[in-house]
Amino acid sequence: MTFQELLLKHKSSILGDWVKAIVETYPAETARFLRQSKDQFANPVGAAIKTETEHIFDQLVSGGAERQELDKFLDRIIRIRAVQDFTPALALGFIYDLKRAVRRRLEKDLKQQGLEEELLKFEETVDNLMLQGFAIYVSCREQIYDLKAMEMRNLYAKVLERSGIFTVVPDQETLEPLSETDEQNKA
Amino acid sequence: MHVIFSLLAVIVLIAIAYAGVAGAGMTYLFGVVIPYAAVITFFLGLILKVLKWGRSAVPFNIPTTCGQQKSLPWIKPNSVDNPTSTGGVLARMFFEVLTMRSLFRNTKLDYRVAHGQPVIRQGSEKFLWLFAILFHYSFLVVLLWHLRFFMEPVPKLVGVIEALDGFFEFGLPQLLLSGVILVAMAGALLDRRLRMPNIRYISLTSDYFPLFLIMGIGITGILMRYLLRVDITAIKELTMSLAVMKPVIPQAPIDPLFYAHIFLVSVLFAYFPFSKLMHMPGVFMSPTRNLTTNSREVRHVNPWNYPVKTHTYDEYEEDFRDLMIEAGLPVEHNPAEEAAAAEGGGEAAEAEPEAPEEKKE
Amino acid sequence: MANPTPKPEQIAAVDHKPPAADWMDTKPEFKPGMFLYAVRKESLEGVGQPNPRDWNPTDADWKLPADWKGIVREGIKERLQRFRSFQIFMDICVRCGACADKCHFFIGSGDPKNMPVLRAELLRSIYRGEFKVAGKILGKLAGGRKLTEEVIKEWFYYYFQCTECRRCSVYCPYGIDTAEITIMAREILNLLGCQIDWVGTPVNNCFHTGNHLGLKPHTYKENVEYLLDDIEEYSGVRINPSFNRKGAELLFITPSGDVFADPGIFTFMGYLMLFDHIGLDYTWSTYASEGGNFGFFTSHEMMKRLNAKMYAEAKRLGVKWILGGECGHMWRVITQYMDTMNGPADFLEVPVSPITGTRFQNSASTKMVHISEFTADLIHNNKLKLDPSRNDHLRVTFHDSCNPARGMGMLEEPRYILNNVCNNFFEMPPQTIRENTFCCGGGAGLNAGENMEMRFRGGLPRMNAVQYVKDRHGVNMLACVCAVDRAVFPAHLEYWVPGVKNCGVTELVANALVMDGEIPRQYNLRGEEVNDLREEVDLPPIQWPEEEEGGEPSEEGGE
């Protein structure tokens, strides 16, 4: 059995472990709600964790993981954690939890079949995933500060401009809430 | 802590009754004095509490609107969830109290991905509603057929209820479903409290205690009826004597379990007015449910409405008069014009726009 | 987020194991981005509120008044007698948990104290501990606790993390309304001078200048004039509204935020165009220039003090009745409080639309009609010339604002309008609209700048539903009838659902309005070229008449 096949075979248990680890970063009273409530509208956080972890896993297993796709999936989880009560480390730590889950479920099989090398490679992929996640997290935080500034500007700029206190009219480009690079990052 | 304390409390209560009757032979205390005291406490407490609530004012008309308002004639209003008439309010309260409608509203959309396609299904989370409604109705049925112990002859209605309740015609004496459902549902509600971490987090001793108490009452009742087969004639002799206010402890001995049962019931009655169980009368008095939503059409009066300090137009104009004149905004008093008018002739001042009359009451 | 990065072993130590303490023993941590700034001293002084001082929520000492405990006890006692809602909601909760997962702040933050039941218990536990015999003696066992400064801090943190949206009260079997409890808690906090700046300062501004930014009368007028210039530029129609004019038939009052803040100004332009189109005899007031009432987020008394201006101004100007603009909590106040507090408005007449003759019997006593009711009636009677295809580049969904939905029940009117002014309208999932609507996350004074992360959490459930209709139907415009929504949504959408914009219903009405003497409407009210917008959604460009083609918005296009 190849490493990939092993991953696929244990997919549900690995994902189960991974989701559990993520959900347990929340208070116990909340964790249950996140895990149990199936309604994606009543429970958007839980739904995002569940669906996106699976997407990420599938991408990684498929071999030809696409960076952009991964970005999209990671973004949906990290965007939420970036505004919740987490330190940056806690907000992103969930990515490494995938390593733990895989090791825990596959360790025996891998030893038996001499596939430890493959595991190391896989863990390297997860390390890269963390770097990707880091970029997303930072861009989310930057965006928050950007938006704070934008809001202040929207609130007062027009008044100041019209009362003559603000004489230089900023052009449309700079009034856009996002810089070009942010747009690209998100695409 | 909350759970264990509550459970212990109920066990201790049972033990007290057992010890009191079987040990010390205080049948009169447990069979007569305490039940009377409990019933008096119940009614007095309930009435006083409801009166206290009633004394508290309803200053504003604050119903939660859960449907379309009555506005334009061609838009269909939702006269139950947004009731503009007393009839609508009665209907709303009817569904609220008898069908626990708001709890039923606890629906959710079930969203799943099947074969790569999102599938939406109208699922629901009705367990809480189901447990609650079964619990309350079985409680009611149990209460109703207990009337047979306090009435002679037994009213027809009680007989009918009993017949329906024993529909399955199982066991001897016939199994009455309501008692079993009552205990089972109390158990289910307890289980929910214990197993769902967020519900457990919010639960207090006063949430567990009534559940254990009611389970205790139910279980002692079931034991008496089906297992110990206590002396039913003696019990009825006692209960009838209580009902007609001539209490007598019957000659024939009654199992202490009966005293435990009646003691727990007494505790429940006495505890009722001081606890969350007051949601029973409270639901009728909830201002977000029992008011009409026509407060734009008919003025709601606040009994303690008091005058407040406002910022009048005059004060406002006083602050900004020059700026207003400069900007071409009309003003009540224009000093320049007034001066010019005064020069032009004395009576011009009379022709000034009528003095602003809006003084706060 | 200024916390130093923890070392790996620290992470391992804290990771995955949230504190398992009882909620009474966990205290809130005031982290930047999560809490709101304290009100500045001058703002409290300006309206004569107690205990003005310089302080900060992160301070250890909040400089409470000497007898603060007595004030709180007395405050609770007084309110128990004055408000049956408060008394009953303190007594009858059975903690069934039906409300637990209904709060947008709980859903988005995962903080258990954001469960409505627990938010209420924060106050209820003091009620038991200080007023009930069992609570006094048995303490925690009876669900009671003692009043400490920590409790006040906790109240400040959590009662300014409730938007008074009433969603929980829809699902409560006893109709317990957390908004009502939050209102009481905030009143009590205000007795101690513990107010947030984004409520306290707008209150002071509204009181003195009539609007929440503190714009003086001439600035208010100037702002409107700039909007008139924009309208002329984009539509070719010059409008001349009146201010503070006596003898007008109607007085129009809307939230002042719409006069100067993006994208509310476009809704404001919409009002101006709509009223011009139908030839309405109305006036604006600079004195009563604020429909929104931040007093509602302070105390019943402050709400009354600010709201009094509406009737006072209507009386001074001698209008027949009042028309009100798109605003959320303003309409809760008008529907459920205004007439009771500041009425009876017997100097006004029962509103009758001067255009259609429709009598608004539903507001026979308040004498105030909602712009959506008014516009829906106009459309129903064919009084508006509309070309909904002008909004064809928009795929619109509608956000029910909490207060018009759950404090009024105005659900169909805006939908009727939207269906008449645009051709692509899509509903969000049923459990997220109408009486089940999710809050924008910024109501009740929480749309300040400093708490943006907290707001984003609160806005997540709503944004999640928007994302759904964006993915499914290509929705690119979120319409609403609330000025706070319009202040809050731009940032929320940018963060959660980029590509979707936000507007007021009346903005879309005005874009579809065929005005007398208008030039070809190559530009929408935002000054965006319609053909650019059409291109974005793969619609063929509109061929404008020769003389206008490719031109800049013409300066001389007046007549």
Side-chain angles (χ1 to χ4, degrees), chain A residues 24 26 29-30 39-41 44 79 83-86 141 143 151 158 162, chain C residues 1 16 18 31 107-108 110 226 262 429 431 453 455 457 464 494-495:
Chain A
E24 282 177 356
Y26 294 88
E29 304 76 38
T30 312
D39 183 340
Q40 67 151 348
F41 300 107
R79 189 160 290 275
V83 296
Q84 289 180 325
D85 251 340
F86 294 114
R141 298 298 309 172
Q143 203 189 357
E151 233 182 44
K158 286 247 156 57
R162 281 161 185 178
Chain C
M1 288 295 147
H16 304 167
K31 283 191 224 155
I107 295 171
Y226 276 100
D262 238 329
Q431 72 273 47
E453 284 96 315
R455 260 168 51 192
R457 302 164 177 185
N464 181 57
E494 204 53 56
Y495 188 78

mmCIF file of all heavy atoms in Angstrom, chain A residues 24 26 29-30 39-41 44 79 83-86 141 143 151 158 162, chain C residues 1 16 18 31 107-108 110 226 262 429 431 453 455 457 464 494-495:
data_model
loop_
_atom_site.group_PDB
_atom_site.id
_atom_site.type_symbol
_atom_site.label_atom_id
_atom_site.label_comp_id
_atom_site.label_asym_id
_atom_site.label_seq_id
_atom_site.Cartn_x
_atom_site.Cartn_y
_atom_site.Cartn_z
ATOM 1 N N GLU A 24 -11.318 21.771 19.753
ATOM 2 C CA GLU A 24 -10.977 21.840 21.177
ATOM 3 C C GLU A 24 -10.139 23.053 21.538
ATOM 4 O O GLU A 24 -9.791 23.253 22.698
ATOM 5 C CB GLU A 24 -10.297 20.543 21.617
ATOM 6 C CG GLU A 24 -11.341 19.457 21.808
ATOM 7 C CD GLU A 24 -10.737 18.122 22.184
ATOM 8 O OE1 GLU A 24 -9.501 18.017 22.235
ATOM 9 O OE2 GLU A 24 -11.534 17.191 22.407
ATOM 10 N N TYR A 26 -11.493 25.744 21.325
ATOM 11 C CA TYR A 26 -12.567 26.583 21.848
ATOM 12 C C TYR A 26 -12.993 26.053 23.219
ATOM 13 O O TYR A 26 -12.736 24.887 23.531
ATOM 14 C CB TYR A 26 -13.769 26.550 20.895
ATOM 15 C CG TYR A 26 -13.495 27.185 19.556
ATOM 16 C CD1 TYR A 26 -12.956 26.445 18.509
ATOM 17 C CD2 TYR A 26 -13.751 28.534 19.342
ATOM 18 C CE1 TYR A 26 -12.690 27.026 17.279
ATOM 19 C CE2 TYR A 26 -13.485 29.119 18.117
ATOM 20 C CZ TYR A 26 -12.953 28.364 17.083
ATOM 21 O OH TYR A 26 -12.695 28.951 15.884
ATOM 22 N N GLU A 29 -17.824 24.252 26.174
ATOM 23 C CA GLU A 29 -19.248 24.484 25.954
ATOM 24 C C GLU A 29 -19.496 24.802 24.492
ATOM 25 O O GLU A 29 -20.556 24.529 23.948
ATOM 26 C CB GLU A 29 -19.748 25.667 26.790
ATOM 27 C CG GLU A 29 -19.492 25.530 28.271
ATOM 28 C CD GLU A 29 -18.047 25.797 28.619
ATOM 29 O OE1 GLU A 29 -17.438 26.695 28.020
ATOM 30 O OE2 GLU A 29 -17.510 25.084 29.486
ATOM 31 N N THR A 30 -18.498 25.443 23.877
ATOM 32 C CA THR A 30 -18.641 25.839 22.485
ATOM 33 C C THR A 30 -18.274 24.682 21.570
ATOM 34 O O THR A 30 -18.884 24.484 20.521
ATOM 35 C CB THR A 30 -17.709 27.023 22.195
ATOM 36 O OG1 THR A 30 -17.890 27.985 23.224
ATOM 37 C CG2 THR A 30 -18.023 27.648 20.868
ATOM 38 N N ASP A 39 -26.068 22.700 10.834
ATOM 39 C CA ASP A 39 -26.581 23.770 9.999
ATOM 40 C C ASP A 39 -25.473 24.764 9.668
ATOM 41 O O ASP A 39 -24.926 25.402 10.555
ATOM 42 C CB ASP A 39 -27.715 24.474 10.760
ATOM 43 C CG ASP A 39 -28.366 25.559 9.931
ATOM 44 O OD1 ASP A 39 -27.739 26.018 8.971
ATOM 45 O OD2 ASP A 39 -29.498 25.932 10.264
ATOM 46 N N GLN A 40 -25.145 24.882 8.417
ATOM 47 C CA GLN A 40 -24.036 25.766 8.044
ATOM 48 C C GLN A 40 -24.359 27.224 8.308
ATOM 49 O O GLN A 40 -23.464 28.058 8.336
ATOM 50 C CB GLN A 40 -23.670 25.578 6.581
ATOM 51 C CG GLN A 40 -24.743 26.040 5.631
ATOM 52 C CD GLN A 40 -24.151 26.496 4.304
ATOM 53 O OE1 GLN A 40 -22.964 26.676 4.162
ATOM 54 N NE2 GLN A 40 -25.015 26.680 3.324
ATOM 55 N N PHE A 41 -25.651 27.559 8.463
ATOM 56 C CA PHE A 41 -25.987 28.960 8.720
ATOM 57 C C PHE A 41 -26.039 29.249 10.209
ATOM 58 O O PHE A 41 -25.662 30.319 10.652
ATOM 59 C CB PHE A 41 -27.314 29.323 8.050
ATOM 60 C CG PHE A 41 -27.246 29.128 6.573
ATOM 61 C CD1 PHE A 41 -27.895 28.075 5.964
ATOM 62 C CD2 PHE A 41 -26.477 29.977 5.807
ATOM 63 C CE1 PHE A 41 -27.793 27.882 4.595
ATOM 64 C CE2 PHE A 41 -26.364 29.799 4.441
ATOM 65 C CZ PHE A 41 -27.024 28.748 3.835
ATOM 66 N N PRO A 44 -21.706 28.597 11.296
ATOM 67 C CA PRO A 44 -20.748 28.797 10.196
ATOM 68 C C PRO A 44 -19.316 28.405 10.551
ATOM 69 O O PRO A 44 -18.587 27.930 9.690
ATOM 70 C CB PRO A 44 -20.844 30.295 9.904
ATOM 71 C CG PRO A 44 -21.503 30.902 11.077
ATOM 72 C CD PRO A 44 -22.340 29.856 11.720
ATOM 73 N N ARG A 79 -9.425 33.142 8.262
ATOM 74 C CA ARG A 79 -10.147 34.414 8.295
ATOM 75 C C ARG A 79 -11.017 34.506 9.560
ATOM 76 O O ARG A 79 -11.145 35.571 10.150
ATOM 77 C CB ARG A 79 -11.013 34.506 7.040
ATOM 78 C CG ARG A 79 -11.674 35.832 6.781
ATOM 79 C CD ARG A 79 -12.072 35.958 5.329
ATOM 80 N NE ARG A 79 -10.883 36.088 4.487
ATOM 81 C CZ ARG A 79 -10.266 37.247 4.248
ATOM 82 N NH1 ARG A 79 -10.738 38.365 4.736
ATOM 83 N NH2 ARG A 79 -9.186 37.297 3.512
ATOM 84 N N VAL A 83 -10.040 36.782 13.748
ATOM 85 C CA VAL A 83 -10.794 37.771 14.520
ATOM 86 C C VAL A 83 -11.302 37.200 15.837
ATOM 87 O O VAL A 83 -12.003 37.871 16.572
ATOM 88 C CB VAL A 83 -12.000 38.352 13.732
ATOM 89 C CG1 VAL A 83 -11.514 39.116 12.522
ATOM 90 C CG2 VAL A 83 -12.982 37.272 13.331
ATOM 91 N N GLN A 84 -10.973 35.944 16.104
ATOM 92 C CA GLN A 84 -11.437 35.376 17.370
ATOM 93 C C GLN A 84 -10.371 35.553 18.451
ATOM 94 O O GLN A 84 -9.283 36.058 18.178
ATOM 95 C CB GLN A 84 -11.810 33.910 17.165
ATOM 96 C CG GLN A 84 -13.105 33.791 16.346
ATOM 97 C CD GLN A 84 -13.524 32.369 16.115
ATOM 98 O OE1 GLN A 84 -12.683 31.491 15.962
ATOM 99 N NE2 GLN A 84 -14.827 32.124 16.083
ATOM 100 N N ASP A 85 -10.716 35.114 19.648
ATOM 101 C CA ASP A 85 -9.859 35.364 20.809
ATOM 102 C C ASP A 85 -8.599 34.501 20.831
ATOM 103 O O ASP A 85 -8.321 33.857 21.824
ATOM 104 C CB ASP A 85 -10.673 35.053 22.077
ATOM 105 C CG ASP A 85 -11.006 36.334 22.807
ATOM 106 O OD1 ASP A 85 -10.320 37.333 22.553
ATOM 107 O OD2 ASP A 85 -11.937 36.316 23.626
ATOM 108 N N PHE A 86 -7.834 34.454 19.762
ATOM 109 C CA PHE A 86 -6.650 33.602 19.754
ATOM 110 C C PHE A 86 -5.389 34.437 19.614
ATOM 111 O O PHE A 86 -5.380 35.460 18.935
ATOM 112 C CB PHE A 86 -6.703 32.622 18.580
ATOM 113 C CG PHE A 86 -7.799 31.610 18.673
ATOM 114 C CD1 PHE A 86 -8.846 31.622 17.754
ATOM 115 C CD2 PHE A 86 -7.803 30.663 19.678
ATOM 116 C CE1 PHE A 86 -9.869 30.690 17.842
ATOM 117 C CE2 PHE A 86 -8.826 29.729 19.769
ATOM 118 C CZ PHE A 86 -9.858 29.747 18.852
ATOM 119 N N ARG A 141 -4.994 40.177 9.092
ATOM 120 C CA ARG A 141 -4.787 41.202 10.120
ATOM 121 C C ARG A 141 -4.530 42.560 9.479
ATOM 122 O O ARG A 141 -5.045 43.580 9.921
ATOM 123 C CB ARG A 141 -3.611 40.827 11.037
ATOM 124 C CG ARG A 141 -3.789 39.538 11.818
ATOM 125 C CD ARG A 141 -4.950 39.565 12.773
ATOM 126 N NE ARG A 141 -4.956 40.731 13.644
ATOM 127 C CZ ARG A 141 -5.951 41.055 14.463
ATOM 128 N NH1 ARG A 141 -7.033 40.290 14.510
ATOM 129 N NH2 ARG A 141 -5.883 42.122 15.218
ATOM 130 N N GLN A 143 -5.598 43.511 6.693
ATOM 131 C CA GLN A 143 -6.866 43.972 6.131
ATOM 132 C C GLN A 143 -7.729 44.617 7.210
ATOM 133 O O GLN A 143 -8.393 45.626 6.966
ATOM 134 C CB GLN A 143 -7.592 42.788 5.506
ATOM 135 C CG GLN A 143 -8.585 43.226 4.465
ATOM 136 C CD GLN A 143 -9.464 42.097 4.007
ATOM 137 O OE1 GLN A 143 -9.300 40.952 4.428
ATOM 138 N NE2 GLN A 143 -10.404 42.407 3.150
ATOM 139 N N GLU A 151 -12.725 52.925 7.324
ATOM 140 C CA GLU A 151 -13.978 53.327 7.947
ATOM 141 C C GLU A 151 -13.896 54.743 8.490
ATOM 142 O O GLU A 151 -14.802 55.552 8.319
ATOM 143 C CB GLU A 151 -14.302 52.360 9.076
ATOM 144 C CG GLU A 151 -15.679 51.800 8.928
ATOM 145 C CD GLU A 151 -16.006 50.883 10.072
ATOM 146 O OE1 GLU A 151 -15.710 51.215 11.239
ATOM 147 O OE2 GLU A 151 -16.557 49.820 9.791
ATOM 148 N N LYS A 158 -15.472 62.895 3.840
ATOM 149 C CA LYS A 158 -16.410 63.674 3.041
ATOM 150 C C LYS A 158 -16.765 64.981 3.753
ATOM 151 O O LYS A 158 -16.845 66.028 3.119
ATOM 152 C CB LYS A 158 -17.680 62.855 2.789
ATOM 153 C CG LYS A 158 -17.459 61.752 1.780
ATOM 154 C CD LYS A 158 -18.246 61.993 0.503
ATOM 155 C CE LYS A 158 -17.643 61.286 -0.696
ATOM 156 N NZ LYS A 158 -17.502 59.837 -0.535
ATOM 157 N N ARG A 162 -15.813 68.614 2.381
ATOM 158 C CA ARG A 162 -16.853 69.572 2.027
ATOM 159 C C ARG A 162 -16.813 70.824 2.874
ATOM 160 O O ARG A 162 -17.247 71.878 2.453
ATOM 161 C CB ARG A 162 -18.217 68.898 2.159
ATOM 162 C CG ARG A 162 -18.457 68.036 0.954
ATOM 163 C CD ARG A 162 -19.498 67.028 1.173
ATOM 164 N NE ARG A 162 -19.545 66.177 -0.020
ATOM 165 C CZ ARG A 162 -20.340 65.158 -0.145
ATOM 166 N NH1 ARG A 162 -21.161 64.845 0.810
ATOM 167 N NH2 ARG A 162 -20.324 64.432 -1.239
ATOM 168 N N MET C 1 -3.943 41.627 20.410
ATOM 169 C CA MET C 1 -3.020 40.834 19.602
ATOM 170 C C MET C 1 -1.582 41.278 19.819
ATOM 171 O O MET C 1 -0.684 40.930 19.079
ATOM 172 C CB MET C 1 -3.384 40.973 18.124
ATOM 173 C CG MET C 1 -4.672 40.241 17.765
ATOM 174 S SD MET C 1 -4.512 38.460 17.950
ATOM 175 C CE MET C 1 -6.154 38.021 18.457
ATOM 176 N N HIS C 16 -5.571 23.714 23.312
ATOM 177 C CA HIS C 16 -6.642 22.720 23.372
ATOM 178 C C HIS C 16 -7.295 22.545 24.718
ATOM 179 O O HIS C 16 -8.204 21.765 24.856
ATOM 180 C CB HIS C 16 -6.139 21.334 22.920
ATOM 181 C CG HIS C 16 -5.541 21.365 21.563
ATOM 182 N ND1 HIS C 16 -4.814 20.347 21.052
ATOM 183 C CD2 HIS C 16 -5.569 22.310 20.608
ATOM 184 C CE1 HIS C 16 -4.406 20.659 19.836
ATOM 185 N NE2 HIS C 16 -4.856 21.849 19.554
ATOM 186 N N PRO C 18 -9.188 24.664 27.161
ATOM 187 C CA PRO C 18 -9.751 25.907 27.679
ATOM 188 C C PRO C 18 -10.021 25.767 29.168
ATOM 189 O O PRO C 18 -10.201 24.661 29.666
ATOM 190 C CB PRO C 18 -11.056 26.057 26.908
ATOM 191 C CG PRO C 18 -11.402 24.680 26.467
ATOM 192 C CD PRO C 18 -10.121 23.920 26.336
ATOM 193 N N LYS C 31 -8.958 42.970 25.725
ATOM 194 C CA LYS C 31 -7.920 42.941 24.701
ATOM 195 C C LYS C 31 -8.241 43.940 23.608
ATOM 196 O O LYS C 31 -9.414 44.116 23.264
ATOM 197 C CB LYS C 31 -7.843 41.549 24.076
ATOM 198 C CG LYS C 31 -7.146 40.535 24.935
ATOM 199 C CD LYS C 31 -6.893 39.276 24.112
ATOM 200 C CE LYS C 31 -7.232 38.031 24.889
ATOM 201 N NZ LYS C 31 -7.571 36.898 24.075
ATOM 202 N N ILE C 107 -22.183 32.615 18.077
ATOM 203 C CA ILE C 107 -21.838 31.825 16.894
ATOM 204 C C ILE C 107 -20.470 32.248 16.353
ATOM 205 O O ILE C 107 -19.643 31.417 15.993
ATOM 206 C CB ILE C 107 -22.920 31.993 15.808
ATOM 207 C CG1 ILE C 107 -24.251 31.409 16.294
ATOM 208 C CG2 ILE C 107 -22.494 31.334 14.505
ATOM 209 C CD1 ILE C 107 -25.421 31.726 15.382
ATOM 210 N N GLY C 108 -20.252 33.544 16.326
ATOM 211 C CA GLY C 108 -19.014 34.032 15.720
ATOM 212 C C GLY C 108 -17.810 34.006 16.636
ATOM 213 O O GLY C 108 -16.682 33.904 16.176
ATOM 214 N N GLY C 110 -17.666 32.114 19.817
ATOM 215 C CA GLY C 110 -17.490 30.897 20.595
ATOM 216 C C GLY C 110 -17.312 31.162 22.075
ATOM 217 O O GLY C 110 -16.993 30.260 22.837
ATOM 218 N N TYR C 226 -23.891 69.468 -1.444
ATOM 219 C CA TYR C 226 -22.934 68.690 -2.244
ATOM 220 C C TYR C 226 -23.617 67.488 -2.890
ATOM 221 O O TYR C 226 -23.338 67.144 -4.037
ATOM 222 C CB TYR C 226 -21.766 68.220 -1.378
ATOM 223 C CG TYR C 226 -20.694 69.263 -1.227
ATOM 224 C CD1 TYR C 226 -20.607 70.055 -0.087
ATOM 225 C CD2 TYR C 226 -19.769 69.475 -2.258
ATOM 226 C CE1 TYR C 226 -19.632 71.025 0.041
ATOM 227 C CE2 TYR C 226 -18.792 70.446 -2.132
ATOM 228 C CZ TYR C 226 -18.727 71.218 -0.984
ATOM 229 O OH TYR C 226 -17.759 72.176 -0.865
ATOM 230 N N ASP C 262 -20.362 57.252 3.423
ATOM 231 C CA ASP C 262 -20.480 56.251 2.390
ATOM 232 C C ASP C 262 -20.957 54.939 3.006
ATOM 233 O O ASP C 262 -20.432 54.580 4.044
ATOM 234 C CB ASP C 262 -19.069 56.004 1.825
ATOM 235 C CG ASP C 262 -19.012 56.256 0.355
ATOM 236 O OD1 ASP C 262 -20.031 56.043 -0.290
ATOM 237 O OD2 ASP C 262 -17.942 56.656 -0.129
ATOM 238 N N PRO C 429 -31.063 32.273 2.892
ATOM 239 C CA PRO C 429 -31.784 31.121 3.474
ATOM 240 C C PRO C 429 -32.795 31.555 4.539
ATOM 241 O O PRO C 429 -32.552 32.517 5.275
ATOM 242 C CB PRO C 429 -30.676 30.283 4.100
ATOM 243 C CG PRO C 429 -29.452 30.644 3.335
ATOM 244 C CD PRO C 429 -29.602 32.078 2.964
ATOM 245 N N GLN C 431 -33.751 30.688 7.477
ATOM 246 C CA GLN C 431 -33.475 30.859 8.911
ATOM 247 C C GLN C 431 -32.550 32.030 9.175
ATOM 248 O O GLN C 431 -32.109 32.237 10.306
ATOM 249 C CB GLN C 431 -32.935 29.566 9.531
ATOM 250 C CG GLN C 431 -31.523 29.195 9.158
ATOM 251 C CD GLN C 431 -31.484 28.394 7.876
ATOM 252 O OE1 GLN C 431 -32.109 28.739 6.881
ATOM 253 N NE2 GLN C 431 -30.731 27.310 7.880
ATOM 254 N N GLU C 453 -12.591 43.669 15.448
ATOM 255 C CA GLU C 453 -12.555 42.206 15.470
ATOM 256 C C GLU C 453 -13.825 41.645 16.103
ATOM 257 O O GLU C 453 -14.403 40.680 15.634
ATOM 258 C CB GLU C 453 -11.344 41.696 16.258
ATOM 259 C CG GLU C 453 -10.040 41.804 15.498
ATOM 260 C CD GLU C 453 -9.288 43.066 15.853
ATOM 261 O OE1 GLU C 453 -9.917 44.151 15.923
ATOM 262 O OE2 GLU C 453 -8.080 42.975 16.064
ATOM 263 N N ARG C 455 -16.697 43.043 16.200
ATOM 264 C CA ARG C 455 -17.783 43.238 15.243
ATOM 265 C C ARG C 455 -17.754 42.199 14.143
ATOM 266 O O ARG C 455 -18.784 41.703 13.716
ATOM 267 C CB ARG C 455 -17.615 44.608 14.596
ATOM 268 C CG ARG C 455 -18.485 45.650 15.170
ATOM 269 C CD ARG C 455 -18.044 46.985 14.676
ATOM 270 N NE ARG C 455 -17.911 47.039 13.232
ATOM 271 C CZ ARG C 455 -17.322 48.039 12.591
ATOM 272 N NH1 ARG C 455 -16.823 49.033 13.263
ATOM 273 N NH2 ARG C 455 -17.247 48.042 11.303
ATOM 274 N N ARG C 457 -16.707 39.224 14.298
ATOM 275 C CA ARG C 457 -17.259 37.950 14.787
ATOM 276 C C ARG C 457 -18.771 38.006 14.764
ATOM 277 O O ARG C 457 -19.438 37.071 14.334
ATOM 278 C CB ARG C 457 -16.850 37.706 16.229
ATOM 279 C CG ARG C 457 -15.405 37.682 16.498
ATOM 280 C CD ARG C 457 -15.283 37.820 17.998
ATOM 281 N NE ARG C 457 -13.919 37.750 18.438
ATOM 282 C CZ ARG C 457 -13.590 37.745 19.714
ATOM 283 N NH1 ARG C 457 -14.530 37.796 20.642
ATOM 284 N NH2 ARG C 457 -12.343 37.674 20.079
ATOM 285 N N ASN C 464 -22.002 35.008 6.304
ATOM 286 C CA ASN C 464 -22.002 33.633 5.838
ATOM 287 C C ASN C 464 -23.204 33.364 4.941
ATOM 288 O O ASN C 464 -23.102 32.690 3.917
ATOM 289 C CB ASN C 464 -22.010 32.721 7.068
ATOM 290 C CG ASN C 464 -21.993 31.266 6.716
ATOM 291 O OD1 ASN C 464 -21.095 30.813 6.030
ATOM 292 N ND2 ASN C 464 -22.999 30.537 7.163
ATOM 293 N N GLU C 494 -16.170 43.533 2.868
ATOM 294 C CA GLU C 494 -14.814 43.532 2.342
ATOM 295 C C GLU C 494 -14.011 42.397 2.977
ATOM 296 O O GLU C 494 -13.209 41.752 2.323
ATOM 297 C CB GLU C 494 -14.175 44.883 2.667
ATOM 298 C CG GLU C 494 -13.053 45.281 1.762
ATOM 299 C CD GLU C 494 -13.412 45.240 0.297
ATOM 300 O OE1 GLU C 494 -14.382 45.908 -0.084
ATOM 301 O OE2 GLU C 494 -12.727 44.539 -0.457
ATOM 302 N N TYR C 495 -14.252 42.172 4.255
ATOM 303 C CA TYR C 495 -13.483 41.129 4.955
ATOM 304 C C TYR C 495 -14.020 39.736 4.665
ATOM 305 O O TYR C 495 -13.265 38.815 4.384
ATOM 306 C CB TYR C 495 -13.496 41.394 6.463
ATOM 307 C CG TYR C 495 -12.574 40.465 7.243
ATOM 308 C CD1 TYR C 495 -11.198 40.691 7.264
ATOM 309 C CD2 TYR C 495 -13.072 39.361 7.928
ATOM 310 C CE1 TYR C 495 -10.353 39.846 7.949
ATOM 311 C CE2 TYR C 495 -12.225 38.507 8.619
ATOM 312 C CZ TYR C 495 -10.869 38.754 8.636
ATOM 313 O OH TYR C 495 -10.023 37.910 9.310
#
